[in-house]
Amino acid sequence: MYELLFWRYLDEIYLNNQEVYEALLEKKEVEGLEILPIQLILNRISSVFSEWEKVDENSWQNNTGKGAFQVINTPQSIKIDCYGTEGKTMNKLVDLLEEFKCPLYDPQVPERYDEMSD
């Protein structure tokens, strides 16, 4: 499994990304993060991955190729667990969340890919 995690900071706030990640995994509310339009994001994922089989409310499986993913959310975050998913599919998910101004935090590295990490 490969994890992708996304959240958006409030203006003028930037926290320790690893600590934010750990708090969000425990489904804690993190002061300094925005509330996300979760349903809009899920609808957008459904639209972009409409050719994939929707296994349940928050899981998609590619029946014509590799991979599956599950979306787990809190009001402040979107976590996507990827199972055998190709890099180009993960990039598509990253781009999709960028539309909502939610940059990727990659806990495997660990690094957050936003303007503050330069």
Side-chain angles (χ1 to χ4, degrees):
M1 179 188 68
Y2 202 95
E3 284 181 306
L4 308 173
L5 197 74
F6 305 88
W7 66 81
R8 186 166 59 205
Y9 286 114
L10 293 169
D11 286 343
E12 306 299 319
I13 294 184
Y14 202 80
L15 306 171
N16 179 299
N17 292 317
Q18 183 64 29
E19 290 174 9
V20 171
Y21 165 73
E22 290 170 10
L24 292 172
L25 278 188
E26 295 175 16
K27 300 199 180 292
K28 293 180 181 175
E29 185 173 329
V30 179
E31 195 171 320
L33 299 189
E34 289 191 29
I35 301 298
L36 299 179
I38 299 297
Q39 197 54 55
L40 279 175
I41 293 169
L42 291 173
N43 290 348
R44 182 75 177 120
I45 292 170
S46 287
S47 173
V48 169
F49 289 92
S50 61
E51 294 182 10
W52 287 41
E53 177 186 351
K54 195 165 181 185
V55 180
D56 62 35
E57 180 133 343
N58 295 314
S59 302
W60 287 261
Q61 178 177 321
N62 186 351
N63 286 334
T64 60
K66 289 184 177 179
F69 63 88
Q70 180 179 29
V71 178
I72 300 159
N73 66 276
T74 72
Q76 298 177 308
S77 68
I78 294 281
K79 179 172 160 294
I80 303 176
D81 293 338
C82 299
Y83 303 92
T85 309
E86 294 179 333
K88 66 182 180 181
T89 299
M90 287 192 269
N91 288 340
K92 190 184 289 189
L93 288 163
V94 170
D95 291 346
L96 190 151
L97 270 294
E98 278 287 336
E99 293 174 22
F100 295 92
K101 296 181 176 38
C102 295
L104 168 66
Y105 177 74
D106 184 338
Q108 288 84 197
V109 179
E111 188 170 341
R112 181 168 160 96
Y113 295 92
D114 60 10
E115 66 278 354
M116 300 300 290
S117 64
D118 294 337

